[in-house]
Amino acid sequence: MNKMELLRILRKASRGNIFSIEIPKVTHEDGRKMEQWADGLQREGKIKLRECVQRDYSVYLHGIMKYAPK
């Protein structure tokens, strides 16, 4: 997975412009990478994160999808 795949997953999980998704992870490093990609998307202005929580086996992301052409 990379940053653009994460954006595609978030678009599919969104209802209107709000998304809430729990993405399974294999290792703790996977969770950190997902957080970094989400932060990168936020800096680029494509999403606005409200919550990013690392759980034992997943990463929970909740936020707003900003206008981003497909």
Side-chain angles (χ1 to χ4, degrees):
M1 181 187 294
N2 62 26
K3 185 168 61 171
M4 299 316 324
E5 287 180 37
L6 178 61
L7 181 61
R8 245 179 279 147
I9 291 170
L10 294 177
R11 279 192 186 131
K12 289 180 183 177
S14 67
R15 290 186 177 198
N17 64 343
I18 295 180
F19 63 87
S20 179
I21 188 167
E22 195 161 342
I23 303 171
K25 66 178 183 176
V26 177
T27 64
H28 187 67
E29 182 64 30
D30 291 343
R32 281 192 295 211
K33 285 182 183 180
M34 281 186 236
E35 277 189 46
Q36 290 173 352
W37 294 330
D39 287 338
L41 290 171
Q42 186 169 359
R43 277 184 263 130
E44 292 173 10
K46 296 185 180 191
I47 64 171
K48 171 74 173 150
L49 277 178
R50 288 186 175 171
E51 191 175 3
C52 181
V53 179
Q54 281 206 32
R55 297 185 176 151
D56 290 337
Y57 300 103
S58 63
V59 176
Y60 174 74
L61 298 170
H62 175 74
I64 299 169
M65 187 69 76
K66 293 187 175 183
Y67 173 73
K70 297 178 182 180

